[in-house]
């Protein structure tokens, strides 16, 4: 008899406050130290020019090009029952199928070259989920549609499926 697996935490975007234990805090401190140490050293050497360069690089790394919409597509919740979204368009050919985001979250161990087989094997699940088909349209909507706002993110819950 197969054991029922618990629902993974990624399926809900309703944020629950949980205080990390000491072991988790240790890894948070180690992570910040590893990330910040080189930046502090570079700031000490190059000053504000370094910070301006890093800020500019971070802002322009996504850019206002269609592939920059990937970050919106993956985790910007627009529906009250779906925490993450997939993209089924031509850009998957050049982006190693990164658009299969729901499938990846559900089955992270499947390689990029086979991830769309998940959708083919379970159409009753994935065909009913919202997905994007154009990064260009998504980027235009995000910029010009007033219902999208960086200050008004929707928190989702899985109550539709409970």
């Amino acid at each position: 008899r197969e054991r029922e697996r618990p629902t993974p935490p990624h399926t809900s975007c309703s944020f629950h406050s949980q205080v990390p234990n000491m072991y988790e805090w240790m890894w948070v401190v180690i992570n910040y130290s590893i990330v910040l140490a080189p930046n502090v050293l570079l700031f000490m050497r190059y000053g504000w020019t370094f910070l301006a360069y890093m800020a500019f690089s971070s802002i322009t790394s996504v850019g206002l090009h269609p592939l920059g919409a990937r970050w919106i597509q993956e985790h910007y919740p627009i529906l009250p029952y779906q925490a993450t979204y997939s993209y089924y368009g031509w850009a998957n050919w050049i982006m190693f199928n990164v658009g299969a985001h729901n499938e990846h979250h559900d089955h992270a161990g499947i390689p990029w070259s086979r991830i769309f087989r998940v959708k083919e094997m379970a159409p009753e699940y994935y065909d009913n989920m919202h997905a994007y088909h154009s990064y260009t349209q998504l980027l235009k909507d995000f910029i010009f549609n007033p219902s999208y706002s960086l200050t008004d993110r929707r928190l989702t819950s899985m109550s539709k499926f409970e």
Side-chain angles (χ1 to χ4, degrees), residues 12-145:
S12 175
C13 269
S14 54
F15 299 100
H16 301 287
S17 175
Q18 180 179 351
V19 178
N21 61 37
M22 288 305 289
Y23 180 75
E24 292 167 328
W25 274 115
M26 176 191 70
W27 285 109
V28 169
V29 169
I30 289 171
N31 181 50
Y32 274 98
S33 300
I34 290 171
V35 170
L36 291 176
N39 288 300
V40 169
L41 293 173
L42 288 166
F43 175 74
M44 290 169 52
R45 171 68 174 94
Y46 299 105
W48 292 104
T49 305
F50 164 73
L51 282 182
Y53 173 78
M54 292 303 287
F56 181 76
S57 297
S58 294
I59 292 166
T60 59
S61 67
V62 174
L64 291 176
H65 55 80
L67 299 183
R70 170 185 167 224
W71 303 105
I72 303 165
Q73 164 252 315
E74 288 180 349
H75 291 288
Y76 192 87
I78 61 167
L79 299 173
Y81 57 85
Q82 193 170 328
T84 184
Y85 305 89
S86 285
Y87 160 77
Y88 303 128
W90 66 268
N92 281 312
W93 282 70
I94 60 172
M95 293 176 56
F96 300 103
N97 292 334
V98 75
H101 201 68
N102 286 319
E103 296 83 351
H104 162 73
H105 273 253
D106 292 342
H107 306 282
I110 296 177
W112 68 270
S113 59
R114 297 187 191 131
I115 194 69
F116 277 109
R117 291 273 300 132
V118 173
K119 185 178 185 304
E120 293 170 9
M121 294 170 65
E124 68 281 358
Y125 180 71
Y126 295 104
D127 287 350
N128 295 323
M129 299 182 86
H130 176 74
Y132 296 104
H133 298 277
S134 169
Y135 277 146
T136 305
Q137 187 61 47
L138 172 59
L139 192 59
K140 286 185 348 191
D141 288 346
F142 188 77
I143 294 169
F144 297 112
N145 187 336

